[in-house]
Amino acid sequence: MNNTDVIGLDHLAVYFPDQYLDLTDLAAARNIDAKKYLVGIGIHNAAVAMPSEDVVVLAANAGLKVLQEAGVSPEDVGMLVIGTESAVDKSKPTAAHVHDLLGISTSCRTYDIVHACAGATYGVLAALDWLHNPKNKYALVIASDIARYGKESLGEPTQGAGAVAMLLSRNPRLLSLEELSTYSRQVWDFWKPLDKIYPIVDGLYSTQCYIDAANSCFGALEKINGNSAFIYHTPYPKLVQQVHARIAVMIDEKIDWKQHFVAKVERSCRFSARIGNIYTGSLWLSLASQLEFSLSETTDPTKLKEDLDGCYLFSYGSGCGAALLRGEFRDTWAEMADQLKVEQALSARRRISIEEYEKSIIDYENMSLNDSCPDPTSGQFKLAAIESEKRVYTRIGV
Ligand code: HMG
């Protein structure tokens, strides 16, 4: 295959708030055994966004990072898609703000896609189609969400916030991508009526819908390559174990799925365990986790192909829609993955108290943005004000 026929991820970058809630603190406040969160669900920390940090801010920070690290000018981006289910407007796209903040040209096709957690994956699929036209150079797809379930809800320990920006091109430096199978079905597992600020969730049923979708997507393949990384949408790591127990036996019914999970899946779950569910970005955060730990835990990055032939990427969005993609690592994957540095950003975060976390809930419910709201310390952008119902975004320090 000609190199210019290969399409996929040239680079990706992750951005998340610089403050987090430790779930042992949440467990103590809710009078729940911490092991339920840490082991039963598999999440240790939840990223908590500040009032000055909405999905536009998260997306713009991730987008800026991916362009700078890839050395790509905003002028060369011809398609900008934001996948989000926590948009701040029912009409004006999040992408319009991000387009402005990143200085992307007016000749760029710019829009949002909403399909619960699958929105950004559908953006990636649209970008893959768009890049088949040799006139098109770079597509930027950004997944950005703040997952909130409300105080004392069952979903509370799975909350999170963050964005993943994906730069797609022909002859990509990180990972080639192609769609293998897809799945759609009308279900009521998780939804957000327009007049509600929190989702309505049928928790147990949602896990069944997720598992059915994965069974169907992997079941459509003639053969599953067991020497791949299996990267799943990760609302919480325990569900990924539960789904992989079922998918692994499709590779070989005698497989020891626990061993296979440790070898081919576990690395991809580590960032989600420290950030929580970031909805549209969750699958792509799991890819970042797989890449960063594959790199740090190998002595010779050129030998990755002996450990892993490539990867499967399973995306699920409630409601529901799912897609299974195949990725092949490119020869230059290590140079790109080396720039991720998610672990470094995780270690620099500030642990907030349960009181600060509960204040952030009140701020969100009251939509309050006032002078006492501090600026985020890690990113380049902030929501500075809301004037005459218009959101004003600025560069920090400008
Ligand atoms: P729950 O009712 O609190 O949990 O809700 P549980 O009582 O079933 O316990 C969870 C696990 O902890 C169980 O393990 C318990 O045994 C274990 P399992 O039986 O599953 O193996 N446990 C303990 N383990 C150790 N020590 C203990 C202990 N106590 C209990 N002391 C639920 C859990 C996930 C349902 C809830 O958090 C929820 O509703 N979350 C939100 C919905 C969700 O994440 N669904 C996932 C699939 S749908 C999806 O992924 C789409 C989504 O991302 C949205 C979108 O697409 O936009 C959510």
Side-chain angles (χ1 to χ4, degrees):
M1 190 187 282
N2 189 322
N3 248 346
T4 53
D5 296 335
V6 180
I7 299 178
L9 280 183
D10 192 52
H11 190 36
L12 89 165
V14 179
Y15 180 82
F16 46 86
D18 59 4
Q19 52 176 23
Y20 72 94
L21 176 69
D22 194 291
L23 291 201
T24 54
D25 296 339
L26 182 66
R30 302 287 174 262
N31 205 14
I32 282 176
D33 180 354
K35 283 201 192 122
K36 174 173 176 183
Y37 295 165
L38 309 187
V39 181
I41 285 176
I43 299 187
H44 293 237
N45 308 152
V48 179
M50 295 183 185
S52 54
E53 211 170 23
D54 63 9
V55 284
V56 170
V57 171
L58 298 176
N61 279 315
L64 184 68
K65 196 164 181 286
V66 84
L67 292 175
Q68 286 180 342
E69 289 177 1
V72 168
S73 161
E75 287 291 313
D76 286 332
V77 175
M79 177 178 187
L80 170 66
V81 183
I82 308 289
T84 184
E85 55 169 293
S86 4
V88 290
D89 195 286
K90 289 179 200 143
S91 170
K92 190 177 174 73
T94 301
H97 294 291
V98 176
H99 175 268
D100 181 42
L101 291 170
L102 297 184
I104 293 175
S105 91
T106 51
S107 58
C108 177
R109 186 189 292 179
T110 299
Y111 60 98
D112 285 5
I113 295 185
V114 179
H115 188 141
C117 294
T121 301
Y122 291 130
V124 166
L125 296 176
L128 296 180
D129 291 343
W130 180 81
L131 284 162
H132 277 291
N133 180 342
K135 282 198 295 196
N136 297 330
K137 236 170 158 180
Y138 288 104
L140 178 58
V141 178
I142 311 179
S144 184
D145 270 305
I146 302 177
R148 292 185 170 101
Y149 288 91
K151 191 175 165 186
E152 294 171 11
S153 61
L154 283 180
E156 191 176 26
T158 69
Q159 294 179 141
V164 184
M166 290 156 281
L167 188 67
L168 292 108
S169 68
R170 277 190 303 286
N171 195 15
R173 287 172 286 180
L174 185 60
L175 192 75
S176 68
L177 283 176
E178 65 168 321
E179 185 182 19
L180 298 179
S181 56
T182 192
Y183 176 88
S184 306
R185 188 162 72 101
Q186 198 289 111
V187 294
W188 291 101
D189 60 336
F190 168 110
W191 66 106
K192 290 183 189 166
L194 289 175
D195 60 339
K196 301 270 186 307
I197 60 167
Y198 293 117
I200 303 174
V201 191
D202 189 341
L204 199 57
Y205 180 55
S206 74
T207 62
Q208 192 51 54
C209 293
Y210 173 106
I211 288 170
D212 289 348
N215 274 330
S216 174
C217 283
F218 279 97
L221 307 189
E222 267 174 33
K223 188 174 178 324
I224 303 176
N225 179 343
N227 192 33
S228 308
F230 288 70
I231 301 169
Y232 297 90
H233 167 57
T234 308
Y236 52 97
K238 180 66 165 290
L239 183 58
V240 174
Q241 282 182 38
Q242 291 166 335
V243 76
H244 195 68
R246 290 158 174 88
I247 301 307
V249 292
M250 293 188 191
I251 304 166
D252 172 356
E253 59 190 26
K254 294 202 201 79
I255 205 164
D256 178 336
W257 77 263
K258 286 187 181 160
Q259 264 185 20
H260 195 261
F261 178 87
V262 171
K264 308 293 182 195
V265 189
E266 186 275 331
R267 281 174 177 163
S268 69
C269 297
R270 294 184 198 169
F271 290 158
S272 296
R274 298 184 52 201
I275 293 176
N277 188 359
I278 57 166
Y279 290 159
T280 49
S282 167
L283 168 68
W284 306 100
L285 178 67
S286 300
L287 171 62
S289 187
Q290 177 69 47
L291 290 167
E292 193 163 315
F293 290 108
S294 288
L295 187 61
S296 65
E297 291 172 11
T298 184
T299 42
D300 183 356
T302 59
K303 298 233 165 77
L304 175 78
K305 286 185 180 165
E306 288 168 23
D307 288 343
L308 294 173
D309 284 339
C311 61
Y312 291 103
L313 296 139
F314 172 71
S315 182
Y316 177 79
S318 283
C320 72
L324 181 64
L325 284 76
R326 175 80 192 162
E328 306 294 341
F329 301 102
R330 306 285 284 160
D331 288 344
T332 42
W333 77 274
E335 288 144 50
M336 304 314 283
D338 196 30
Q339 301 183 75
L340 283 166
K341 309 244 181 304
V342 175
E343 183 61 41
Q344 194 177 309
L346 284 169
S347 330
R349 294 183 303 175
R350 185 174 79 87
R351 176 174 174 171
I352 59 170
S353 65
I354 193 77
E355 291 76 20
E356 286 172 283
Y357 159 68
E358 291 189 349
K359 175 164 182 316
S360 79
I361 299 178
I362 295 167
D363 284 342
Y364 169 66
E365 290 177 353
N366 297 333
M367 299 200 179
S368 67
L369 182 70
N370 51 52
D371 292 343
S372 68
C373 296
D375 285 352
T377 55
S378 60
Q380 297 278 317
F381 304 103
K382 67 172 179 178
L383 170 64
I386 302 174
E387 291 166 0
S388 311
E389 300 290 339
K390 293 177 185 158
R391 297 171 93 85
V392 181
Y393 296 98
T394 55
R395 275 249 176 173
I396 290 173
V398 174

